[in-house]
Amino acid sequence: MPSYFMYIEASDSSAPMSHLKFLLVISYISISGLPAYADTQDDNLFFDMPLEELTQVTVASKRLEKVKDAPSVISVIHHEEIKRYGARHLRDVLDRLVNAQVIGSTAYPHNRTSLRGVTQTHLDDKVLILLNGRPIRDAGQGGVNGDMYSSFPLEMIQQIEVIRGPGSVLYGSNAFSGVINIITKPADSNFSAQLDAQYGSFDTRQLSLQGGGYLKQMSFMGALSTHDSQGDRFENTSGEFGPAGTYATGRDSIEAVLQLQAHGFSLQSIINKVKQQGSNNLVTFPSEDWTIERHFIDMGHEKEFNSNWQLNSNLTFNGMENTGSIIGGSGRFFTTRSNSYLTEVTLSGKIAQHSNLILGSSYEALSGDNISDGLLNTDIDSWNSSIYSQIAYRSSPLYKFSFGFQVNKAKGQSEKVSPRISSIINFNEHYTAKLSYDEAFRSPFGLDLFLNASFLMGNPELTPETINTYSAQLSYHKMHNQMALTLYQSHHEDLIVRTTGSDGSVTLTNQGYLDYYGIELEYKFKINHHWQLDGNASYQGNENDLGKKDTTFQPNWMIKNGMSYTKAGITGGVFLSYFGKPTQAIELNPDVIESNPDSHEYFLLTANIVCDLYKLYGNPGYKNIEISFYGDNLLDEKIYYPEISRLQVNTIPSHAGIGIYGKISYRF
């Protein structure tokens, strides 16, 4: 793999040389300014903990295990990393992941996470989001998650576990190219709370309150947040038809997250309402609101039979209503309402001294409707059921083998089997190799099957999309340092795509295949008690059944690196990400309107600093007060992305200009 600087020099990049000089200066200052290592006690306990103690996950096996022992390729982002590098929302955090980018369209801005280049539409239907292991799905369109990426309160997050690759063996549909498991913070033994107030660029105002504790034998944790921003405004932006106009990106949201636990019972919920400006479904102006209202509730019970065996039972409700405009200023709109009720039972435990078993079953009922221009054109009525199992066997301290499968049956469809086979070899205490084969599927959802509109017809004969992935990973782990190199190859079949008939009607069919391949490098290095490096680099490519390469609009190259510092009340970090040039829309549709700036490669630079005033000054009046400042897109890159929804306009604005945001936090 060529070095970063060799690639920049050899490419036909339009990136200014000042950006490269800036990167060199930052690198020089960072290296030359490192203090000599001193074996002194640091007040940041997190920073001194071995990484293996921090990087334990549940997402791959539905039980706690070290990342190196998990039968999947996994990345972990801890809440202290979010604090060090800063973020405005979940999208900022996920954009720093290896081989990942949060994208969207004019209809659904920043609505989906692309992992490993698997991107066909603006719907987030190839990555499954979990909250503490419970699935968040959209029964209507299969992937409306823009509210999660823009409004979920970061202060509630303990860590984020991300499977790169298939995860259907335990989670079913949508766990296709990845799984994002958001783990929330546990309640403190004593009641504690934190109030955060933020103000910044584009008249951005955010207020959040989060806290929890114990009431007798019940623990509770919750957050309430509001966000209001005028957003950046992009003048003279061209649309699909009509005059050019102003692309406004304002946002207004309110969100509540709650979790309760008592006597083996649990309850967690998300209730929100998010309004996001965009340029409508048909890329026209003026900008109008896209509105999401989400109701997620999960009730669970854990029964421990003994120290080895337990039974988990869950009832999960996902309700959503989203409304958007079809043509700006016309009064034409659409509203999709959907509900799903999921019941799931999972038995897990040891069947021998060195073997673990998971056995589960689920049933999900889906309902809802879609209204366009005031007329009902979709009535959603479907269901799916599954059984799944996974067994892990460790023959010696050096070798672990696991095998799992899920059998899924949806209404009107044949059974779908998704297996996983994984072997893990620990060469010694520092080096581990993983070899795995995984399959996954994405079932057609309500509008795919039942939509009956003038612009698009659903197809009840659709079958699930499938993907199979071979991966090999070699990792190094020693106390405060980690590095992993991963190779993968995937085959994606039965794509659900739009096709136009001889009469001009548009419908959905299963058609074609895609092959993906790539290499991923990620690392975490603690240089000394105060400085840490975090970064990754990836290359991905793909080719469809017609022999055309790179058809999913994702950059081939992504290189992302950060450096952070923690000492005596000061926490800060700088993160610089490079995103290569994506495929242009005109390469897939020669009739695209090319009036907006082309999408190109870019550098995204962010910086963050957090100051604990009491630790800095020792004044009791400052106790429990922190102030922080976050800078976004500090190079003021003009970032445009191909309009992937309709392929009629070459690009839309994808990222705001320079932004500076200040926050004050008070703990009590």
Side-chain angles (χ1 to χ4, degrees), residues 259-286:
Q259 59 183 52
L260 304 172
Q261 290 184 328
H263 305 290
F265 290 91
S266 64
L267 183 146
Q268 56 181 341
S269 68
I270 300 173
I271 300 175
N272 68 29
K273 184 173 183 178
V274 179
K275 292 183 178 180
Q276 172 72 56
Q277 288 183 309
S279 63
N280 313 294
N281 194 40
L282 297 186
V283 200
T284 55
F285 299 96

Side-chain angles (χ1 to χ4, degrees), residues 29-30 33-36 40 42-44 46-47 80-81 83-86 525-534 562-575 607-612 616:
I29 293 174
S30 299
L34 290 176
T40 59
D42 192 275
D43 59 355
N44 190 332
F46 168 88
F47 217 61
E80 282 290 340
E81 295 177 63
K83 180 177 180 178
R84 282 187 273 131
Y85 291 114
F525 290 138
K526 181 180 176 183
I527 299 173
N528 56 36
H529 279 298
H530 309 298
W531 291 91
Q532 180 161 320
L533 293 173
D534 301 89
M563 175 174 282
S564 62
Y565 175 85
T566 299
K567 183 180 181 181
I570 294 289
T571 300
V574 176
F575 209 99
N608 185 62
I609 185 168
V610 183
C611 303
D612 186 315
L616 279 176

Side-chain angles (χ1 to χ4, degrees), residues 4 8 202 243 267 271 276 328 368 379 399 408 416 434 495 566 625 639:
Y4 176 68
I8 296 297
F202 314 115
L267 183 146
I271 300 175
Q276 172 72 56
D379 191 5
Y399 183 73
N408 189 278
K416 175 60 61 179
K434 292 183 183 181
L495 282 70
T566 299
I625 298 177
I639 302 173

